[in-house]
Amino acid sequence: QVQLVESGGGLVQAGGSLRLSCAASRSILSIYAMGWYRQTPGKQRELVAVIHLGGSTNYVDSVKDRFTISRDNAKNMVYLQMNSLEPEDTDVYYCNAVGMNFWGKGTQVTVSS
């Protein structure tokens, strides 16, 4: 069973930056596309960034040019660099293999005005 642990969230002011990290218990990055999601409790989960097996990336329009997803296959790590943060980015952020159900506890990102 794959376990994922997110870290790096915190409290920042608008315009600030955070780097989220996702540690995988197994070497899965060569098997699955990996994504970062965000979800407010009671609302639908949103996929905000994905990195495909070949290394190409996609982003939801609201974070394009501000967020960058990357990975280190040898270290079983996935990252999300978040720049120019806005209050609307406030949410709990999760990583996962796209289409899978390996949900962890997530990491809270709160952006103040």
Side-chain angles (χ1 to χ4, degrees):
Q1 184 177 2
V2 175
Q3 295 186 64
L4 302 171
V5 179
E6 302 93 342
S7 62
L11 298 168
V12 297
Q13 293 190 337
S17 298
L18 287 172
R19 188 194 191 207
L20 306 185
S21 297
C22 172
S25 62
R26 298 182 181 180
S27 181
I28 64 170
L29 303 188
S30 63
I31 301 173
Y32 301 103
M34 298 297 296
W36 281 97
Y37 304 75
R38 61 189 181 188
Q39 184 175 30
T40 298
K43 296 184 178 180
Q44 189 172 25
R45 186 184 305 112
E46 178 185 36
L47 176 63
V48 299
V50 60
I51 184 165
H52 300 281
L53 293 178
S56 62
T57 58
N58 294 101
Y59 303 90
V60 68
D61 285 345
S62 61
V63 309
K64 191 172 297 183
D65 299 324
R66 299 189 298 117
F67 292 6
T68 302
I69 186 172
S70 62
R71 68 186 181 203
D72 187 332
N73 289 17
K75 296 181 179 179
N76 300 324
M77 297 289 292
V78 186
Y79 307 97
L80 186 67
Q81 180 66 47
M82 310 166 69
N83 298 326
S84 301
L85 283 162
E86 304 169 353
E88 292 76 16
D89 296 319
T90 295
D91 242 323
V92 179
Y93 284 72
Y94 304 84
C95 66
N96 212 335
V98 174
M100 298 294 104
N101 192 31
F102 303 146
W103 301 108
K105 297 183 182 298
T107 185
Q108 176 72 50
V109 171
T110 303
V111 184
S112 63
S113 61

